[in-house]
Amino acid sequence: MSERIYLFTRFERFWHWAQAGLIITLLFTGFAIHGSHGLVGFRKAVEIHEIAAWLLIGLWILAIFWHFTTGQWKHYIPTAKNIDRMVRYYAYGIFIGAPHPYKVTQERKHNPLQRLAYLGVKLVINPLVWISGLVYLFWGALQGSLPAGLGLQQVATAHTVGAFLMLAFLIVHVYLATAGHTPLAHIKAMITGWEDVHDAAEEAAGKPVAR
């Protein structure tokens, strides 16, 4: 038994894919700037990196405004309810074909672990990348007003750490996106907005799915 619900709005889908494209562009050019590959020249990589960074900052500002004006920020409020079931599912249930223990709704789009992960991105990784990148870009103008012990190398290191944290999140996010009732189910939902919600967990376990 399944139910088809409209889960992701047009803006959410635009924000998701635009953000993904810009982050991948920044990672690609960032590795080029560090000399990790020669697929694009250093000067061109710097130019593209800066353009993509400003576009991403603009997108983040727009997304923050949208989340607070629409009330969508509530989907990221962390909760410990049923988090143990999600941990068990991702730890081993997903590998033995166990039914997904969480049923999404329009009021609860993200399971407890997703909420923590997305909140971590918004409150830790994004600000780390954002602030360190801007300080690095405007180092000449800001140097005199920054703490004496803070050097350009420390700022660059913080930016690199943030980039690797974002890369790690991206890899895990892409992997878990294939963990629906079909490998492309979640990806399709982020393209069309519609999600097929299955009650397999309830039918298999004989009890309500986690909410």
Side-chain angles (χ1 to χ4, degrees):
M1 182 179 178
S2 65
E3 174 188 4
R4 197 164 190 254
I5 62 174
Y6 187 65
L7 199 62
F8 302 111
T9 65
R10 289 182 179 179
F11 178 81
E12 285 178 290
R13 286 175 277 147
F14 161 75
W15 167 54
H16 177 274
W17 293 113
Q19 182 175 226
L22 289 171
I23 287 174
I24 292 172
T25 299
L26 286 165
L27 289 170
F28 177 79
T29 54
F31 279 117
I33 292 171
H34 280 271
S36 300
H37 66 78
L39 297 176
V40 60
F42 177 82
R43 185 177 298 275
K44 178 61 66 174
V46 171
E47 293 176 358
I48 297 174
H49 197 81
E50 289 188 10
I51 293 172
W54 284 116
L55 289 174
L56 185 58
I57 288 174
L59 182 63
W60 280 345
I61 293 174
L62 180 61
I64 291 171
F65 175 80
W66 180 84
H67 276 87
F68 278 98
T69 56
T70 62
Q72 293 294 313
W73 60 272
K74 297 177 182 178
H75 290 287
Y76 303 96
I77 297 177
T79 176
K81 184 179 180 181
N82 293 308
I83 196 170
D84 56 327
R85 295 175 65 183
M86 292 308 308
V87 171
R88 289 196 298 271
Y89 175 74
Y90 285 128
Y92 61 87
I94 193 173
F95 301 107
I96 62 175
H100 200 292
Y102 186 82
K103 180 181 178 181
V104 298
T105 69
Q106 290 179 326
E107 293 74 30
R108 293 179 295 274
K109 296 182 180 181
H110 308 306
N111 68 56
L113 286 182
Q114 285 177 315
R115 293 187 188 193
L116 289 175
Y118 296 153
L119 192 64
V121 170
K122 295 177 184 298
L123 297 183
V124 178
I125 300 179
N126 284 0
L128 177 59
V129 172
W130 190 343
I131 294 172
S132 62
L134 288 175
V135 171
Y136 191 89
L137 182 62
F138 296 107
W139 177 255
L142 296 174
Q143 187 176 5
S145 59
L146 295 172
L150 183 65
L152 186 60
Q153 183 60 48
Q154 286 78 21
V155 175
T157 299
H159 194 64
T160 301
V161 169
F164 273 102
L165 289 174
M166 183 65 77
L167 176 60
F169 170 80
L170 180 64
I171 293 172
V172 174
H173 183 67
V174 171
Y175 168 68
L176 293 180
T178 65
H181 60 277
T182 66
L184 297 178
H186 293 325
I187 297 174
K188 183 179 178 181
M190 189 50 74
I191 295 174
T192 66
W194 292 91
E195 174 96 6
D196 292 320
V197 181
H198 290 252
D199 287 335
E202 182 176 358
E203 296 170 0
K207 57 184 178 181
V209 292
R211 293 178 180 272

